């Protein structure tokens, strides 16, 4: 496997950046700070460039100025520009009301879409929560194991919902015990989330270590040898 | 026994940097000396794989394409990159036509990199076997519009070519010409957009998901409700998918390290809890408090 000079330069840059960020684990240091600010700046700069060349240029500037297949200058494309520009009046004490016009538009669109989104996303999930308790399956539609898991699912759902009923006091022993059970079941779910989070963070570190060992160390030895 | 008790209590004050070093060693050693633990695909990954296989028949019968969405950046590259690569390889191997897309600026570079890399391995032809729609702005509004009119919304691909000039885009007009959307992301709220808005005229394409490990518990809700046909959970999900497509890539090679690290974490949590309980018992004894008293 041959290694190109410029590949090695890129790999060494990546390794230095990685180790600089990880130096924070030992203690706070200026080396880490320099690279942290560099990453932040690069991410913002990259985002702006991609935003302009992938979106603003083909979707707004070229139709506006009549370039690239568009026949002529189309002044109608100035309208969304001015509408968006009104957002910046939020910084003016006197003229902030102009920004409120576009904020109102955005809120209206957002709310309308949220209504649709909530219905299309949550309704199937609510419908799916009505599960069969068929312990003795008559027609093999539900196995005994599925029945058990369905019962656990529904009991968990009900107990957790009772826990979150704050409109009345949990005085009755059944309500109290259900709420306590719901709280413990919530903790089980938090444990599942925490375990998954640990796995996710380990995965991020593994990828960096794979880069350092397989790319940086191995390819550097190959290049020098 | 007494010395073991004291050691466990003293471990509560262990310097964190020693734990960091231990973690790094546990992860690095299996990378240098792999021991090849077996990988067993889980039901959500197997279901996802099976549905992707089905899209081949759908393409032959109805001419529908698949849409791959890579809404991830460097922060979740470790988990989403192998997932994206695995599914692109699966589609290219089976000659299933697909379009790549991203809704975030950071995804544009990775999308191009994965498509170009895999196309070389499978001799996939751009515009015939796959295409790159690039970065598209607008999130929910874009997806809603895309469902109604694909060529009118996308207009040009990532290189500025008109979408309608690509051979594979002939006959692709709306959501009804899409058999499946496979969405890879580590961001909150992006996946929901496809669930909520990419549908029309009573038709919803199959939806598969590649998520970070943090989102795995949440993904079971969507899978249980039938809103997704399957999902890959984190790097482990990617490794399982690689096993199904018969490859050993970065995710599969990382499984040894991940297993050792998880076992180490479980052991340290166990040790830490024993130390904590012993310390609490010692404090209770010292203060002369009775049973049932709260500290």
């Amino acid at each position: 496997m041959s290694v190109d000079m410029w590949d090695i330069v890129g790999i060494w840059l990546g390794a230095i950046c990685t180790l600089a960020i990880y130096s924070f684990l030992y203690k706070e240091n200026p080396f880490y700070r320099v690279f942290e600010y560099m990453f932040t700046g690069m991410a913002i700069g990259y985002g702006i460039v991609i935003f302009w060349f992938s979106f603003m240029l083909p979707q707004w500037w070229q139709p506006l100025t009549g370039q690239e297949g568009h026949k002529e200058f189309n002044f109608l494309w100035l309208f969304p520009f001015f509408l968006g520009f009104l957002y910046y009046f939020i910084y003016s004490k006197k003229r902030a009301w102009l920004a409120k016009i576009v904020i109102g538009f955005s809120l209206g669109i957002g709310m309308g879409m949220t209504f649709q989104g909530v219905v299309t996303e949550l309704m199937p999930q609510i419908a799916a929560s009505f599960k069969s308790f068929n312990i003795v399956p008559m027609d093999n539609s539900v196995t005994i194991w599925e029945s058990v898991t369905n019962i656990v699912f529904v009991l968990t759902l009900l107990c957790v919902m009772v826990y979150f009923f704050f409109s009345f006091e949990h005085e009755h022993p059944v309500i109290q015990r259900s709420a306590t059970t719901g709280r413990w079941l919530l903790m089980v779910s938090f444990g599942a989330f925490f375990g998954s989070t640990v796995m996710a963070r380990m995965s991020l570190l593994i990828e960096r270590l794979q880069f350092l060992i397989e790319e940086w160390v191995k390819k550097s030895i190959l290049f020098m040898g | 026994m007494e010395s073991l008790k004291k050691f466990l209590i003293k471990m509560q004050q262990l310097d964190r940097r020693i734990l960091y070093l231990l973690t790094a060693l546990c992860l690095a050693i299996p990378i240098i000396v792999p021991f090849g633990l077996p990988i067993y695909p889980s039901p959500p990954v197997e279901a996802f794989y099976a549905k992707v296989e089905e899209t081949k028949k759908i393409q032959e019968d109805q001419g529908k394409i698949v849409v791959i969405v890579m809404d991830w950046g460097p922060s979740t590259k470790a988990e989403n990159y192998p997932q994206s690569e695995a599914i692109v390889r699966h589609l290219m191997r089976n000659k299933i036509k697909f379009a790549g897309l991203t809704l975030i600026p950071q995804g544009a570079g990775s999308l191009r990199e994965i498509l170009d890399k895999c196309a070389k391995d499978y001799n996939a032809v751009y515009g015939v076997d796959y295409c790159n729609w690039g970065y598209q702005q607008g999130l929910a509004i874009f997806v809603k519009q895309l469902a109604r009119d694909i060529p009118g919304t996308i207009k040009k691909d990532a290189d500025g070519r008109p979408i309608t000039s690509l051979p594979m885009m002939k006959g692709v007009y709306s959501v009804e010409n899409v058999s499946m959307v496979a969405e890879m992301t580590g961001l909150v709220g992006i996946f929901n957009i496809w669930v909520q808005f990419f549908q029309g005229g009573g038709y919803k394409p199959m939806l598969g998901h590649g998520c970070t490990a943090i989102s795995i518990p949440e993904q079971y809700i969507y899978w249980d409700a039938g809103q997704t046909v399957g999902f890959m959970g984190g790097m482990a999900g990617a490794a399982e998918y690689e096993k199904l497509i018969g490859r050993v890539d970065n995710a599969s090679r990382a499984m040894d390290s991940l297993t050792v690290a998880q076992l180490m974490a479980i052991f340290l949590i166990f040790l830490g809890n024993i130390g904590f309980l012993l310390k609490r018992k010692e404090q209770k004894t010292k203060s002369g408090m009775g049973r049932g008293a709260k500290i």
Side-chain angles (χ1 to χ4, degrees):
Chain A
M1 178 174 57
S2 64
V3 186
D4 189 43
M5 164 79 172
W6 288 110
D7 283 344
I8 280 292
V9 169
I11 287 168
W12 268 84
L13 273 173
I16 290 166
C17 293
T18 303
L19 294 171
I21 295 297
Y22 281 146
S23 68
F24 182 77
L25 293 172
Y26 182 68
K27 64 178 177 180
E28 167 79 55
N29 61 85
F31 195 51
Y32 160 77
R33 284 288 163 198
V34 163
F35 279 88
E36 186 197 24
Y37 295 143
M38 210 168 74
F39 273 131
T40 310
M42 278 170 64
I44 293 169
Y46 180 81
I48 291 170
V49 169
I50 291 288
F51 180 72
W52 173 257
F53 284 101
S54 296
F55 175 68
M56 289 295 280
L57 182 68
Q59 301 277 2
W60 177 71
W61 182 252
Q62 284 170 354
L64 172 68
T65 54
Q67 294 174 20
E68 295 290 327
H70 299 277
K71 287 181 189 162
E72 55 192 4
F73 183 87
N74 188 349
F75 72 93
L76 285 174
W77 283 103
L78 287 172
F79 178 69
F81 174 77
F82 285 122
L83 211 61
F85 193 78
L86 287 176
Y87 264 112
Y88 290 99
F89 281 99
I90 201 83
Y91 295 112
S92 160
K93 280 183 187 162
K94 258 179 145 176
R95 311 255 181 267
W97 61 272
L98 284 166
K100 287 177 187 172
I101 298 170
V102 279
I103 290 170
F105 262 116
S106 304
L107 281 175
I109 292 168
M111 270 167 48
M113 295 188 71
T114 302
F115 281 129
Q116 182 195 350
V118 163
V119 169
T120 52
E121 184 180 349
L122 292 184
M123 286 302 158
Q125 292 174 8
I126 293 169
S129 69
F130 290 90
K131 294 190 181 291
S132 170
F133 277 13
N134 196 359
I135 306 274
V136 182
M138 304 293 278
D139 57 354
N140 294 326
S141 59
V142 177
T143 64
I144 298 227
W145 176 243
E146 279 169 358
S147 296
V148 169
T149 53
N150 288 349
I151 290 167
V152 169
F153 176 93
V154 174
L155 285 175
T156 305
L157 180 66
L158 291 173
C159 289
V160 169
M161 283 176 69
V162 167
Y163 174 75
F164 284 109
F165 279 167
F166 300 127
S167 307
F168 54 86
E169 247 189 276
H170 295 173
E171 283 175 336
H172 196 280
V174 171
I175 304 288
Q176 258 180 6
R177 285 197 191 120
S178 303
T180 307
T181 310
R183 190 156 56 97
W184 280 97
L185 290 166
L186 272 171
M187 287 189 217
V188 169
S189 76
F190 295 150
F193 272 106
F194 178 69
S196 312
T197 306
V198 168
M199 187 165 96
R201 301 299 174 229
M202 294 289 185
S203 301
L204 299 181
L205 180 55
I206 289 168
E207 190 269 333
R208 285 289 88 198
L209 286 172
Q210 279 180 327
F211 167 77
L212 289 171
I213 294 168
E214 292 176 2
E215 296 279 323
W216 183 46
V217 171
K218 283 188 183 170
K219 285 192 177 173
S220 299
I221 293 170
L222 262 171
F223 184 74
M224 284 188 269
Chain B
M1 196 63 194
E2 199 54 44
S3 58
L4 178 66
K5 252 196 218 175
K6 282 188 179 149
F7 170 73
L8 287 171
I9 293 170
K10 204 175 172 186
M11 284 282 282
Q12 299 282 300
Q13 268 83 48
L14 188 67
D15 191 335
R16 277 183 196 188
R17 290 174 291 192
I18 296 174
L19 287 174
Y20 299 153
L21 188 61
L22 190 63
T23 307
L25 284 171
C26 283
L27 293 174
I29 291 169
I31 294 173
I32 300 166
V33 188
F35 33 91
L37 288 171
I39 298 169
Y40 300 104
S42 56
V45 175
E46 282 180 329
F48 194 359
Y49 177 88
K51 288 296 176 187
V52 172
E53 289 276 304
E54 267 182 39
T55 58
K56 175 76 178 169
K57 185 90 178 31
I58 297 172
Q59 180 187 273
E60 285 164 6
D61 295 344
Q62 302 169 43
K64 295 185 182 184
I65 65 168
V66 172
V67 175
I68 304 281
V69 190
M70 296 187 200
D71 293 330
W72 52 268
S75 57
T76 56
K77 181 186 171 188
E79 294 176 289
N80 293 131
Y81 187 107
Q83 290 169 351
S84 305
E85 190 182 346
I87 195 147
V88 166
R89 286 187 182 279
H90 188 190
L91 291 168
M92 284 187 173
R93 183 191 72 181
N94 286 16
K95 294 283 181 204
I96 299 167
K97 295 184 205 299
F98 70 94
L101 166 67
T102 179
L103 300 182
I104 62 168
Q106 299 94 320
S110 310
L111 173 63
R112 186 182 287 276
E113 183 191 329
I114 290 174
L115 292 180
D116 289 348
K117 175 180 163 185
C118 296
K120 274 189 203 150
D121 291 346
Y122 296 97
N123 298 317
V125 177
Y126 187 87
V128 176
D129 300 314
Y130 75 102
C131 64
N132 183 356
W133 292 348
Y135 163 58
Q136 299 292 334
Q137 219 269 347
L139 295 173
I141 295 171
F142 164 78
V143 170
K144 211 169 149 60
Q145 187 60 22
L146 187 73
R148 282 202 205 104
D149 180 9
I150 292 175
T153 308
I154 300 283
K155 294 194 182 74
K156 289 180 182 175
D157 71 358
D159 295 319
R161 293 183 202 91
I163 282 290
T164 44
S165 69
L166 302 175
M168 65 167 275
M169 291 301 295
K170 282 192 176 64
V172 177
Y173 305 114
S174 71
V175 62
E176 289 174 9
N177 303 116
V178 175
S179 56
M180 176 189 265
V181 173
E183 215 265 342
M184 258 63 67
T185 187
L187 300 172
V188 174
I190 298 269
F191 171 69
N192 307 45
I193 290 170
W194 295 92
V195 175
Q196 293 168 7
F197 299 114
F198 198 61
Q199 53 187 287
Y203 172 78
K204 268 191 217 184
M206 294 188 281
L207 186 54
H209 189 35
C211 63
T212 53
I214 297 167
S215 306
I216 291 173
E218 196 184 330
Q219 280 311 306
Y220 277 99
I221 301 170
Y222 293 96
W223 191 45
D224 184 61
Q227 289 171 310
T228 53
V229 296
F231 64 91
M232 290 184 261
M235 202 185 238
E240 291 164 19
Y241 206 95
E242 284 173 8
K243 167 96 180 175
L244 289 170
I245 62 170
R247 285 190 64 90
V248 178
D249 287 325
N250 282 347
S252 302
R253 282 196 292 270
M255 286 301 103
D256 293 345
S257 298
L258 195 60
T259 307
V260 171
Q262 299 277 75
L263 288 171
M264 182 208 73
I266 291 167
F267 176 68
L268 288 175
I269 290 169
F270 182 65
L271 220 61
N273 275 286
I274 293 178
F276 171 73
L277 289 168
L278 287 172
K279 191 175 177 184
R280 199 165 79 159
K281 193 177 171 186
E282 199 180 71
Q283 282 173 342
K284 265 190 199 173
T285 316
K286 274 185 187 165
S287 62
M289 288 167 104
R291 229 173 157 194
K294 287 182 187 174
I295 292 181

